Amino acid sequence: MSHVRNAPDPPTTDPVWTPILTGLRATALDCLQTSFALLADHANGSGSHLALGARYGFRTRERDGLVTVEATSDDRAAEAVDLLGLRVEGRWMQLDGPQVRRLCAPGQPLYVTADAYDLPWCPYHGHERMRHSFLVTDVADDEVTVVDGYHNDTAWGTARPGVWRLPTADFDTALAGGAHTLAVAAHPAPAIDVPAMLAGNAERARRARPPIADYLARIGAALDTVAGLHRFVLDVWLLGRARDLHEHWLSVARPAAAAALAGQGARWQQLSARSYVALRRAQAGRPATPELADALGALVAEHLDALESMAAPPARDAAPAGGDGVRAAVLGALGDTLHLDGSALRTTDVLRDLPGFDSFRLFDVIDQVERRLGVEVPATALSASDLRDVGSLCAMFGTAAGGVR
């Protein structure tokens, strides 16, 4: 039986969520991470989601008789709790559309996963089954607002971050197969001890080498099957995105260390393209390409080498003067020190207008930003004009960072 699928309506704009979507590093996130990332940036400011890339780890599991690195929803939820300050306060399995709608309260988005095959705004709609996450942010009498941060190019079209307002009947049809739903509360993001994280990543990279070798042998042995190649394509995509996310986090947390990963991203993209071509050839009955496993092994080894090289503390790291890295460090330090979320920090640029701010807290903020950026601001640079608002602080730290070599 053929199924005719109408083209999805185009996304709309939203005063709250569209700016957050614009700041999302969506090309470095998988379809389960994106919605946690949106919740983090909504609560704690743009760029907060990059902390998902802080910790290196390698874990495999069996799926459909094949080994894979694909994470589960529970894995992604645990990462969000540990690294983003999110808390899962309610969990419901296999809800239908009306049940999800009844759970949605004003100002309290729900994290939902459902089958992408049934979601009308996804290019996978009517084509491929997989768990896919999105947020339900508002429910009216006749429509439901969903926010989806997924970014990918597929065989059936492009997926791009957006906001969709679905007629209630369409939403209920999309979730007829059952949706897993989380009520997630946001707290201030935990401060990350960057040197300790880098040292831990180096140790985890060393310990990962034997299991990675086993994984490569097993996945390589399955490359003579279409199912094995399909799994390989997905794993390359996932590993490449995880590496990209780690580089994005490093570019803010430890810019000099990020240089160790420079140039790797393009080679991961090339392998992703090669593996996809190999899959399509295999689907057409063409010969297998077992050398792909060796190519993946070389890229993984390069990444591990870079992680291990970061364990030694660098002399100094500099973020670009006035750049996003400096502003993210300043806003992060203000949020941590004053226990404020991103919405509070967006209400004013004047430091003295922030709840709880005083000269004692200012010292803590300066100390924390210096540690995050790996710079030291000379005492002569601490003028009153540099300490009155967020923009002045960013300019002061940008100058200090730009002067480090």
Side-chain angles (χ1 to χ4, degrees):
M1 178 183 297
S2 63
H3 296 272
V4 177
R5 301 282 178 170
N6 295 326
D9 290 336
T12 185
T13 58
D14 184 274
V16 173
W17 293 100
T18 298
I20 296 173
L21 288 163
T22 301
L24 201 68
R25 294 284 190 175
T27 58
L29 299 166
D30 68 33
C31 65
L32 299 177
Q33 291 174 312
T34 49
S35 300
F36 287 122
L38 288 169
L39 291 171
D41 280 17
H42 178 251
N44 295 319
S46 181
S48 298
H49 70 281
L50 295 180
L52 286 173
R55 181 187 299 141
Y56 174 78
F58 185 84
R59 177 186 299 178
T60 63
R61 59 178 39 84
E62 301 289 329
R63 182 163 182 174
D64 301 325
L66 295 168
V67 65
T68 180
V69 298
E70 185 177 5
T72 67
S73 297
D74 288 342
D75 293 334
R76 294 312 191 201
E79 291 171 0
V81 168
D82 290 344
L83 298 170
L84 300 181
L86 303 180
R87 296 290 183 271
V88 177
E89 298 193 339
R91 186 187 302 265
W92 299 267
M93 311 296 283
Q94 292 300 110
L95 299 186
D96 60 19
Q99 289 171 319
V100 172
R101 288 191 284 112
R102 285 194 290 270
L103 280 175
C104 188
Q108 297 179 334
L110 294 173
Y111 177 104
V112 180
T113 60
D115 192 339
Y117 186 93
D118 298 322
L119 304 179
W121 66 90
C122 281
Y124 302 110
H125 182 225
H127 296 290
E128 187 170 350
R129 297 193 178 277
M130 64 179 67
R131 300 305 296 180
H132 186 86
S133 82
F134 55 94
L135 300 180
V136 175
T137 62
D138 188 60
V139 173
D141 290 338
D142 57 350
E143 67 178 17
V144 178
T145 301
V146 300
V147 182
D148 190 337
Y150 188 55
H151 187 295
N152 195 23
D153 297 329
T154 80
W156 307 283
T158 60
R160 293 294 182 266
V163 179
W164 285 265
R165 293 188 173 91
L166 304 180
T168 299
D170 291 354
F171 178 81
D172 290 352
T173 298
L175 270 60
H180 299 175
T181 305
L182 304 179
V184 181
H187 297 268
I192 294 176
D193 184 331
V194 176
M197 181 64 75
L198 296 183
N201 285 342
E203 178 58 29
R204 284 186 285 272
R206 283 190 287 271
R207 293 200 304 263
R209 289 185 183 271
I212 286 173
D214 178 68
Y215 160 78
L216 290 169
R218 294 181 62 192
I219 201 167
L223 290 179
D224 59 350
T225 68
V226 171
L229 265 171
H230 193 277
R231 178 56 54 185
F232 183 86
V233 168
L234 177 60
D235 278 12
V236 169
W237 185 86
L238 291 167
L239 290 168
R241 289 207 167 197
R243 192 220 66 86
D244 288 350
L245 187 59
H246 184 62
E247 183 175 3
H248 289 315
W249 173 75
L250 277 174
S251 68
V252 174
R254 188 54 62 85
L261 300 178
Q264 291 185 12
R267 291 190 287 278
W268 278 93
Q269 291 173 5
Q270 291 165 5
L271 179 59
S272 183
R274 285 178 57 201
S275 60
Y276 180 73
V277 170
L279 171 61
R280 296 301 299 268
R281 287 167 59 92
Q283 289 170 334
R286 305 287 290 276
T289 50
E291 72 276 3
L292 288 174
D294 293 335
L296 176 59
L299 288 181
V300 171
E302 184 180 30
H303 188 199
L304 296 178
D305 290 343
L307 292 172
E308 292 184 28
S309 74
M310 296 174 197
R316 288 289 184 191
D317 288 327
D324 291 342
V326 171
R327 185 169 182 82
V330 169
L331 292 177
L334 284 167
D336 290 348
T337 302
L338 302 178
H339 306 293
L340 299 176
D341 61 19
S343 60
L345 291 173
R346 288 192 292 270
T347 60
T348 181
D349 196 53
V350 179
L351 297 176
R352 68 172 178 269
D353 291 343
L354 293 171
F357 183 84
D358 56 31
S359 58
F360 299 104
R361 303 288 79 76
L362 176 60
F363 173 81
D364 294 336
V365 169
I366 291 172
D367 180 66
Q368 190 174 145
V369 177
E370 286 179 329
R371 286 188 283 109
R372 289 184 179 214
L373 297 179
V375 303
E376 183 174 346
V377 177
T380 54
L382 299 173
S383 66
S385 62
D386 287 332
L387 305 176
R388 66 172 183 266
D389 54 47
V390 173
S392 299
L393 273 184
C394 290
M396 180 184 73
F397 282 107
T399 299
V404 176
R405 296 291 184 267

